[in-house]
Amino acid sequence: MIFALDAMGGDNAPQAVVQGALEALSDSPDSLELVLVGNENRIKADLPTPLPDRLSLVNSSQTVGMNDRASNVIKAKPDSSIVRGVRLVKDGKVDGFISAGNTGAIMTASLLILGRIPGVRRPALGAYIPTVKGGKIICDVGTNPDAKPYNLLQFAIMASHYIEQIEGCRDPRIGLINIGVEPGK
């Protein structure tokens, strides 16, 4: 498996992302490869030389900040680490993209570049939580504050398929939780 990592997203980037990538490679099977996407000069400052096996870089000249407008990122910052990372997935160069950056920008870029699963009306973020008795997934984790009952049903179906594939769990239990305080919840 090859995963692209947004080296410029999240707290203490790129240093924290680089450190996490190096640890992941040392603790993972040889089948895992990582691609760090971001400002190559800043990333290299935190990397040993020569580059470790199974690690490569893709340079991007722009960074998406937490205050950037998600709906405008593809046009305003087409060479950002988020847009470049999602395009790597679209082009089949990596199997997935991981970012701790601007969630709205990641969702928007993914939706506009990758599209939706046929029949799915709205994408959702899923948070996988490993446990001693097998993992759990929370889907949707806040990106759809105005979800309709039909959307919730689709989120449940997508999460159940995910947990069946990842955990091998047949007929997983599904529940509805609400942790929001906005009016109407």
Side-chain angles (χ1 to χ4, degrees), residues 11-149:
D11 295 337
N12 301 314
Q15 189 272 334
V17 178
V18 170
Q19 180 182 348
L22 294 172
E23 288 177 21
L25 288 173
S26 70
D27 293 342
S28 298
D30 289 343
S31 59
L32 175 68
E33 294 180 39
L34 298 176
V35 178
L36 296 173
V37 184
N39 181 305
E40 201 169 285
N41 291 331
R42 289 185 57 202
I43 295 168
K44 283 182 177 178
D46 294 313
L47 280 172
T49 51
L51 280 179
D53 289 341
R54 303 183 291 136
L55 183 70
S56 59
L57 305 177
V58 170
N59 188 51
S60 68
S61 62
Q62 297 172 308
T63 301
V64 175
M66 296 308 280
N67 294 321
D68 282 330
R69 217 172 131 192
S71 62
N72 199 31
V73 166
I74 291 179
K75 288 181 183 176
K77 296 189 175 181
D79 196 45
S80 66
S81 53
I82 289 175
V83 173
R84 294 286 308 266
V86 174
R87 286 200 189 282
L88 289 170
V89 174
K90 174 75 173 180
D91 295 342
K93 294 181 179 175
V94 298
D95 298 303
F97 174 65
I98 301 166
S99 176
N102 183 317
T103 305
I106 298 161
M107 286 291 287
T108 300
S110 297
L111 181 61
L112 295 176
I113 294 169
L114 301 174
R116 288 185 291 233
I117 297 169
V120 173
R121 291 184 184 174
R122 211 178 249 201
L125 290 177
Y128 179 78
I129 304 166
T131 69
V132 175
K133 295 184 179 183
K136 313 292 183 218
I137 188 165
I138 300 175
C139 181
D140 167 61
V141 290
T143 52
N144 290 294
D146 58 347
K148 306 282 186 264

